[in-house]
DNA sequence: TAGATTGTTAATCGATTAACAATC
DNA sequence: TAGATTGTTAATCGATTAACAATC
């Protein structure tokens, strides 16, 4: 289900969530219209860049006026696929799994936590976020019954690939990967990595510049 | 303390932690040498790109042979500043603060957790990672006494900017920011953002492509 | 209508890829 | 020496910036 005809570069895609955030904030503050120049100064981009970005999708602006904040926010929300709901699960009920399970923002944007899994008998049966932790043995049945779209991987590096293979074999098409390794997945599966170690090392690099 | 003469683009910098990870893995598996072609296929880059990247820093390879894994890893470790130690602190002892405090990898690479702070009286006094949670009232004295290089921000969005201003006023020069907002900091302070919400939204976008 | 600001084309800049001489 | 592979230059590709006609 491709939403737009022109293909959009990854560089632009990575900026879309930021646009969504800033526009949501503006709306929160009852700001109705904004020009590319104003938004640029707010976000630390250039006005040109913003107009180019927004035009990869369509003409959301109006000459002589600027952009209507509410309309543009709705458009980007839809572009990001946030007009649909997503069933999600977390694998790994350690500290990171806990942290994500309690992120209110996910639910607010339509990403519904359906289950949390772990192999540790001490964790199975405990409550994390809004759900009871299940054992990995139950995962096959669970994924089928709950039509899981997104799996959030919070397992140790050593088992990351094994678990990724398991869930993609069971039909999961989206992975938000907190395990610090690059996953090898089938071509129709999308992975977004959150690699905290990489971020830390980028920071230590920048500290020495 | 600039480590290298040629200035390196952010694009290359962002790849350095990945090189470090892959080279560490190779070394772990007792692989002594690797060619740009082999490393490229492993990392999903091109051989040309790897040779260009590594040459932003210096000639670590050898014609007809390739790269010595151990030597190259040491070089990149130094480039990333991981030959020094860093004193770090975490602000926010919620789930995310807990998760980071228990990351073994940080300590292993010389990033030493000196303290964890929170404002919640229920959290102050509890043990997180290896340290006892302190109240924010003690932060000024603490930063001075411990020569904190890096602050890991795990506070709610609403207080993120306030806390960032506080710690940069106290001399902290590096922030690993898990709070989902863009921080406004002085020019000599470096911030690396880990924005989980942005990552999730990138994933939902890609799921609809 | 005049002023403002977009949408869009053209120019510039930067990053990736290709090619090959240097050299181990 | 012959084969392999780097370091580096040149060519290509893509992203950002600049400029301005279109138009609200």
């Amino acid at each position: 289900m491709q939403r737009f005809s022109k293909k959009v570069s990854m560089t632009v895609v990575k900026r879309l969530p930021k646009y969504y955030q800033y526009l949501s904030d503006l709306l929160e503050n009852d700001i109705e219209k904004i020009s590319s120049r104003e938004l640029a100064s707010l976000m630390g981009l250039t006005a040109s860049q913003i107009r180019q970005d927004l035009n990869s999708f369509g003409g959301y602006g109006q000459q002589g006026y600027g952009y209507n904040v509410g309309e543009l926010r709705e458009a980007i929300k839809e572009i990001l696929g946030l007009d649909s709901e997503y069933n999600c699960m977390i694998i790994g009920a350690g500290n990171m799994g806990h942290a994500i399970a309690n992120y209110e923002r996910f639910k607010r944007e339509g990403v519904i936590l359906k289950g949390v899994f772990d192999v540790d008998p001490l964790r199975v049966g405990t409550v994390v976020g809004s759900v009871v932790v299940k054992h990995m043995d139950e995962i096959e049945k669970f994924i089928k019954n709950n039509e899981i779209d997104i799996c959030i991987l919070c397992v140790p590096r050593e088992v990351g690939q094994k678990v990724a293979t398991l869930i993609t074999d069971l039909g999961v098409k989206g992975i938000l990967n907190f395990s610090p390794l690059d996953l090898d997945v089938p071509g129709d599966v999308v992975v977004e990595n959150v690699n905290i170690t990489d971020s830390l090392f980028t920071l230590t690099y920048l500290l020495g510049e």
Side-chain angles (χ1 to χ4, degrees), chain A:
Chain A
M1 54 150 172
Q2 178 145 10
R3 287 199 189 84
F4 301 94
S5 44
K6 280 185 229 170
K7 72 190 171 327
V8 179
S9 79
M10 204 55 183
T11 330
V12 176
V13 171
K14 289 281 182 186
R15 276 196 291 267
L16 290 177
K18 286 262 173 278
Y19 285 121
Y20 186 56
Q21 180 65 59
Y22 277 90
L23 291 166
S24 300
D25 291 349
L26 287 167
L27 205 65
E28 198 89 353
N29 290 302
D30 298 314
I31 291 163
E32 275 179 21
K33 73 135 248 178
I34 194 155
S35 68
S36 56
R37 195 173 43 72
E38 291 166 314
L39 189 57
S41 127
L42 212 56
M43 295 182 63
L45 303 173
T46 68
S48 234
Q49 201 172 19
I50 287 182
R51 294 204 297 277
Q52 291 277 21
D53 282 0
L54 299 182
N55 258 85
S56 342
F57 298 102
Y60 297 112
Q62 195 169 304
Q63 279 108 327
Y65 173 81
Y67 299 87
N68 177 290
V69 173
E71 276 175 27
L72 184 57
R73 179 181 176 279
E74 280 310 302
I76 291 181
K77 179 173 180 158
E78 196 184 318
I79 291 164
L80 286 172
L82 297 175
D83 50 340
S84 316
E85 287 205 338
Y86 298 86
N87 293 324
C88 102
M89 64 185 291
I90 294 173
I91 304 186
N95 289 304
M96 184 56 73
H98 266 87
I100 305 302
N102 287 287
Y103 246 62
E104 285 305 317
R105 186 71 193 280
F106 280 35
K107 191 197 286 179
R108 188 145 41 89
E109 299 288 356
V111 178
I112 316 292
L113 182 63
K114 292 286 185 171
V116 176
F117 286 76
D118 207 301
V119 286
D120 184 344
L122 291 176
R123 287 175 180 167
V124 173
T126 63
V127 175
V128 170
S130 51
V131 304
V132 176
V133 178
K134 289 187 167 61
H135 191 273
M136 287 292 280
D137 290 345
E138 300 181 52
I139 204 167
E140 178 162 1
K141 196 178 57 188
F142 178 86
I143 289 180
K144 301 297 179 197
N145 290 346
N146 290 274
E147 298 183 320
I148 295 298
D149 305 295
I150 294 174
C151 178
I152 304 177
L153 261 197
C154 303
V155 300
R157 190 176 144 79
E158 300 76 54
V159 297
Q161 182 57 59
K162 207 183 73 182
V163 175
T165 304
L166 173 68
I167 58 175
T168 52
D169 281 350
L170 293 171
V172 171
K173 294 287 182 250
I175 299 177
L176 186 58
N177 176 36
F178 287 84
S179 305
L181 82 160
D182 295 335
L183 300 174
D184 193 4
V185 296
D188 63 339
V189 175
V190 290
V191 178
E192 182 66 21
N193 292 301
V194 179
N195 194 317
I196 295 168
T197 310
D198 285 1
S199 296
L200 178 71
F201 294 168
T202 303
L203 185 67
T204 58
Y205 173 90
L206 294 171
L207 277 170
E209 238 183 351

